[in-house]
């Protein structure tokens, strides 16, 4: 991991760490301008996608079954927290997928490494998704829907855990997707099944144990359940939810991602 961030001092006598910070700042500003200003509909879709999904699911649920569908939590806040947490992981994965190829021209500068756009993109996406989540919380409170977390520290830690999980996945696919084109197609196809299998739009507690034990291998489930428990202290989390499993999986992805970037750094630059 150290070799990723170790850079030679530049001609102005700045230390490698100063060079790294300058690279990250420049790439962050470049990505921020591109993400928020070049696409006029970018902000709209960040808000409209979870809002539309929430309205559709509420309409479907109201037709199928009435009453309190989620033990210990109201359905709308429960659904919003799940959608926001899932989109945080998904966008970290998707933004990492094309980060290396879309910044190929910048690798002509020796200070810029292939890992830099992955890190800056994920950091920016996390900030944007956090802001959108806060907008939803404020909007729900204005509509009389209780979206205030019962345990703010646990909710923030669950959010941070999902952010790190998305970063680890993004680091891995940023290398594999650049080296093997088919990987990118598989990742994109897996987005919708992951939405369903992660317990985002329906509670997994309703499933038979024989199915649930396999779904619990998905780390996103653990992250979403921890996030939801931070919002609703009376919520009955899915049996088998483990913070230890979530972070072991996250650390494994981060380590594998950085290892892949170290191993294939020159190959990624030469593409």
């Amino acid at each position: 991991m150290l070799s990723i961030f170790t850079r030679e001092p530049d001609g102005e006598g700045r230390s490698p760490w100063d060079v790294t910070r300058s690279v990250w700042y420049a790439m962050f500003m470049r990505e921020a301008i591109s993400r928020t200003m070049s696409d006029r509909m970018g902000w709209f879709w960040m808000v409209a996608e979870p809002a539309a999904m929430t309205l559709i699911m509420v309409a479907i649920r109201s037709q199928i079954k009435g009453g309190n569908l989620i033990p210990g939590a109201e359905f709308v806040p429960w659904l919003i927290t799940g959608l926001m947490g899932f989109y945080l992981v998904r966008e970290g994965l998707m933004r990492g997928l094309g980060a290396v190829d879309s910044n190929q021209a910048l690798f002509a500068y020796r200070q810029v490494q292939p890992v830099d756009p992955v890190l800056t993109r994920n950091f920016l996406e996390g900030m944007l998704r956090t802001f959108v989540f806060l907008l939803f919380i404020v909007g729900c409170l204005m509509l009389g829907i209780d979206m205030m977390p019962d345990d703010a520290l646990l909710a923030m830690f669950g959010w941070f855990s999902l952010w790190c999980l998305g970063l680890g996945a993004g680091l891995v696919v940023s290398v594999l997707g650049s080296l093997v084109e088919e990987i990118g197609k598989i990742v994109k196809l897996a987005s919708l099944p992951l939405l369903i299998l992660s317990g985002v739009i329906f509670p997994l507690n309703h499933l038979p144990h024989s199915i649930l034990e396999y779904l619990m291998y998905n780390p996103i489930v653990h992250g979403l359940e921890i996030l939801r428990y931070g919002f609703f202290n009376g919520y009955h989390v899915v049996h088998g939810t483990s913070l230890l499993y979530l972070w072991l999986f996250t650390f494994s992805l981060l380590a594998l991602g950085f290892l892949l970037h170290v191993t294939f750094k020159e190959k990624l630059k030469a593409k």
Side-chain angles (χ1 to χ4, degrees), residues 39-107:
D39 184 2
R40 296 180 181 179
M41 299 294 288
W43 279 103
F44 171 77
W45 287 116
M46 276 192 287
V47 177
E49 184 179 12
M53 180 67 76
T54 302
L55 290 175
I56 292 171
M57 290 307 302
V58 169
I60 293 174
R61 286 289 189 176
S62 64
Q63 295 297 321
I64 296 176
K65 186 178 180 181
N68 188 19
L69 302 169
I70 313 297
E74 293 296 325
F75 179 68
V76 172
W78 178 89
L79 179 62
I80 291 175
T81 53
L83 286 170
M84 290 297 174
F86 177 79
Y87 289 149
L88 179 66
V89 178
R90 187 194 69 178
E91 291 307 309
L93 180 67
M94 293 301 181
R95 295 293 167 185
L97 189 60
V100 174
D101 291 340
S102 61
N103 290 276
Q104 197 69 39
L106 296 178
F107 301 148

Side-chain angles (χ1 to χ4, degrees), residues 22-247:
S22 298
V23 169
W24 286 351
Y25 177 76
M27 297 199 72
F28 176 81
M29 295 304 298
R30 179 175 180 267
E31 290 290 342
I33 293 172
S34 174
R35 185 84 168 87
T36 60
M37 296 184 182
S38 62
D39 184 2
R40 296 180 181 179
M41 299 294 288
W43 279 103
F44 171 77
W45 287 116
M46 276 192 287
V47 177
E49 184 179 12
M53 180 67 76
T54 302
L55 290 175
I56 292 171
M57 290 307 302
V58 169
I60 293 174
R61 286 289 189 176
S62 64
Q63 295 297 321
I64 296 176
K65 186 178 180 181
N68 188 19
L69 302 169
I70 313 297
E74 293 296 325
F75 179 68
V76 172
W78 178 89
L79 179 62
I80 291 175
T81 53
L83 286 170
M84 290 297 174
F86 177 79
Y87 289 149
L88 179 66
V89 178
R90 187 194 69 178
E91 291 307 309
L93 180 67
M94 293 301 181
R95 295 293 167 185
L97 189 60
V100 174
D101 291 340
S102 61
N103 290 276
Q104 197 69 39
L106 296 178
F107 301 148
Y109 300 95
R110 60 185 176 85
Q111 296 91 344
V112 182
Q113 304 294 337
V115 73
D116 293 328
V118 184
L119 296 175
T120 52
R121 276 191 173 193
N122 189 273
F123 181 71
L124 173 63
E125 193 63 37
M127 291 182 64
L128 294 176
R129 290 290 164 181
T130 301
F131 178 70
V132 172
F133 195 12
L134 291 174
L135 284 181
F136 269 82
I137 292 175
V138 172
C140 286
L141 292 175
M142 293 176 65
L143 293 173
I145 302 173
D146 185 13
M147 272 290 295
M148 287 298 293
D150 294 330
D151 188 337
L153 290 177
L154 181 59
M156 287 189 289
F157 183 72
W159 185 255
F160 175 73
S161 300
L162 289 167
W163 190 348
C164 291
L165 179 62
L167 171 60
L171 284 168
V172 173
V173 300
S174 65
V175 177
L176 298 182
S178 295
L179 299 177
V180 183
E181 185 179 350
E182 289 73 17
I183 295 293
K185 297 177 181 178
I186 294 173
V187 170
K188 292 175 182 178
L189 287 174
S191 177
L192 181 57
L194 270 179
L195 175 69
I196 298 172
L197 299 177
S198 297
V200 177
I201 56 179
F202 68 89
L204 297 181
N205 276 325
H206 295 171
L207 296 177
H209 177 72
S210 58
I211 298 176
L212 183 59
E213 62 178 346
Y214 290 104
L215 295 182
M216 294 306 290
Y217 285 111
N218 177 3
I220 302 177
V221 174
H222 299 261
L224 294 182
E225 291 300 294
I226 292 167
L227 176 65
R228 283 165 167 160
Y229 188 66
F231 273 84
F232 324 109
N233 278 348
Y235 173 59
H236 298 168
V237 298
V238 175
H239 179 71
T241 298
S242 171
L243 183 61
L244 177 62
Y245 175 79
L246 171 63
W247 273 101

